[in-house]
Amino acid sequence: IHVFPQVISHYDGLGRVYVYKEQYLDAINVLTEFLHRSAVRPPSTIAYMAIAYFKTKNTKRSNEFIQELKQRADKGEQGINIYIAIYYSAINNKEEAFNYLDQALNTNDADLIWLKQEPSFTNLHADPRYNTYLKLVGF
């Protein structure tokens, strides 16, 4: 982001990397900068902010972000349920993760293509339901 600071999508990607590396404060800083520069609030950014805040024990802020996603999904916005599933998997709430994976399948979320590669779903791999989802998505 230092080389091309005007390319704001780099902030979203870097924020995700920080979450995966468990550098949650860095993730919050980068994703906050992204949200300040962006005209939109991508579901991915909001979900990773929720994860980072949860992991830093700021459940109030975490809940604010995840509630935003739930409200947007309830209003019919597409492509959100997969990110709610990622959030719940990342905080180790497997039942809610599978619940939102069901909803992502029902709404045909485009980002289900990342189901097999998403690091936040690693803790679901041992559950037989995970393989069922992989088959339903086409893997």
Side-chain angles (χ1 to χ4, degrees):
I1 63 175
H2 300 292
V3 177
F4 297 105
Q6 70 279 14
V7 182
I8 61 173
S9 62
H10 292 174
Y11 290 84
D12 185 56
L14 181 59
R16 287 183 195 208
V17 170
Y18 281 139
V19 167
Y20 299 147
K21 292 178 66 178
E22 300 179 4
Q23 294 175 261
Y24 302 115
L25 293 177
D26 290 329
I28 290 168
N29 290 334
V30 167
L31 294 172
T32 298
E33 181 67 21
F34 174 79
L35 290 174
H36 280 77
R37 290 173 175 249
S38 178
V40 297
R41 295 175 66 86
S44 59
T45 304
I46 303 305
Y48 288 100
M49 284 288 276
I51 292 165
Y53 275 114
F54 183 90
K55 297 291 187 169
T56 59
K57 310 269 188 259
N58 189 339
T59 54
K60 181 179 186 277
R61 288 293 285 151
S62 178
N63 286 333
E64 289 170 4
F65 281 103
I66 205 62
Q67 288 306 314
E68 175 186 333
L69 287 184
K70 289 179 178 182
Q71 290 170 358
R72 290 168 59 181
D74 288 346
K75 291 179 181 175
E77 188 175 332
Q78 296 294 308
I80 291 186
N81 290 310
I82 186 66
Y83 289 103
I84 300 172
I86 288 170
Y87 166 79
Y88 280 117
S89 186
I91 69 165
N92 209 29
N93 185 335
K94 294 177 187 177
E95 292 309 311
E96 281 299 298
F98 281 117
N99 175 41
Y100 279 95
L101 280 174
D102 280 341
Q103 293 185 44
L105 283 169
N106 289 337
T107 57
N108 200 24
D109 285 11
D111 284 336
L112 279 165
I113 62 169
W114 301 110
L115 180 63
K116 194 172 186 179
Q117 302 300 323
E118 171 57 46
S120 297
F121 289 140
T122 302
N123 66 333
L124 302 181
H125 291 185
D127 190 302
R129 294 176 288 181
Y130 178 75
N131 286 326
T132 302
Y133 285 101
L134 290 176
K135 289 176 186 169
L136 290 170
V137 172
F139 292 111

